[in-house]
Amino acid sequence: MRPTLFTRTDPALGEFALRPVDPPADAALLHRWVTDPKAVFWLMQDCDLAAVEKEFARIAADPFHDAFLGLHHGTPAFLMERYDPAHRELVGVHAAEPGDVGMHFLAAPTDTPVHGFTLAVLTTVMEMLFADPGTRRVVVEPDARNTAVHALNKAVGFEVLRTVSLPSKDACLSTCTRDQFLATRGENR
C-alpha cells in the first residue's frame, strides 16, 4: 500500500485522502470503475484487466503524468490524474503557461449516490492541486457532452475557454485559477 499524500476533512462528509495508484494492486478496482457504464467518458469501456493495469503502469512511469487513488474514510472512492498540459493531452491545442496543471477525476460508480459527494471529491482534488505553491491554474478538457461534470467544474470556479477537438472527443477546454477556486469557497487571498 502506498502512503497517503494529501488529506482533507469535508465539513459534511468527513475525511478524504489521496495516495498514488499502485497499478498491480489497484488494477482490479480501477478496471471495475473505468469500465462501468457511468464512466463512459473515460473511454475505457472495452478494456480488459490487463489493459487497465498496463495503462496505469504507463502513467506511473511517465514524468509528466500521475494517477492517485482517492479514499473516503479510508475506503477507495475516486480516481484522480494530474498531468502537465505542456507535455500531455493538450499539446498543440492549449498554450500552457508556467504553473498550469491538467487534471481528470472519476468518482467511483455507485448505486447509492450521496448528495454532495462528487462535489466534495472535486473540492478535495482542487485543494490537493493548489496545495502545491507552484500550481497557478488547473486545466481540464472534459467531453463536451458531459454536462454533469461541466456543472461541477463551474461550482469550483472553472471557466470554459472554448471547445477544442481532441483525437478522442470534442472537449470544453476550461481553466480555474487559485483565486477563482478560493472565490467559490468564500475565501480571499
Side-chain angles (χ1 to χ4, degrees):
M1 191 65 61
R2 296 195 175 186
T4 299
L5 298 178
F6 181 82
T7 302
R8 167 186 177 263
T9 301
D10 182 87
L13 296 171
E15 185 181 272
F16 288 86
L18 288 118
R19 66 161 174 82
V21 164
D22 180 340
D26 297 330
L29 174 71
L30 296 176
H31 177 260
R32 285 194 306 275
W33 291 0
V34 300
T35 60
D36 187 280
K38 294 176 183 172
V40 67
F41 294 113
W42 276 69
L43 306 173
M44 297 182 81
Q45 297 293 293
D46 298 325
C47 290
D48 63 14
L49 178 61
V52 170
E53 183 176 347
K54 182 178 178 181
E55 174 62 9
F56 284 96
R58 182 195 64 75
I59 291 169
D62 187 329
F64 302 108
H65 200 163
D66 301 295
F68 301 91
L69 188 69
L71 311 170
H72 181 236
H73 295 293
T75 301
F78 62 100
L79 172 65
M80 187 264 276
E81 293 181 12
R82 173 181 66 192
Y83 67 90
D84 182 341
H87 298 277
R88 299 290 175 267
E89 303 287 331
L90 296 170
V91 175
V93 175
H94 167 68
E97 298 176 8
D100 278 1
V101 175
M103 179 271 293
H104 303 131
F105 83 99
L106 173 68
T110 181
D111 292 329
T112 54
V114 174
H115 179 72
F117 184 80
T118 307
L119 181 58
V121 164
L122 182 54
T123 300
T124 300
V125 166
M126 295 296 284
E127 285 190 10
M128 179 189 172
L129 294 172
F130 283 124
D132 178 347
T135 300
R136 294 183 53 224
R137 184 170 69 164
V138 179
V139 181
V140 294
E141 52 3 278
D143 192 296
R145 300 167 295 165
N146 192 347
T147 56
V149 85
H150 300 311
L152 286 166
N153 286 346
K154 184 176 181 181
V156 298
F158 278 95
E159 175 184 7
V160 177
L161 301 180
R162 66 186 182 283
T163 302
V164 296
S165 292
L166 300 176
S168 61
K169 63 187 175 184
D170 285 335
C172 291
L173 178 64
S174 306
T175 60
C176 180
T177 64
R178 184 181 306 273
D179 287 344
Q180 287 170 309
F181 175 62
L182 292 175
T184 68
R185 318 241 331 123
E187 301 173 28
N188 294 315
R189 281 203 178 157

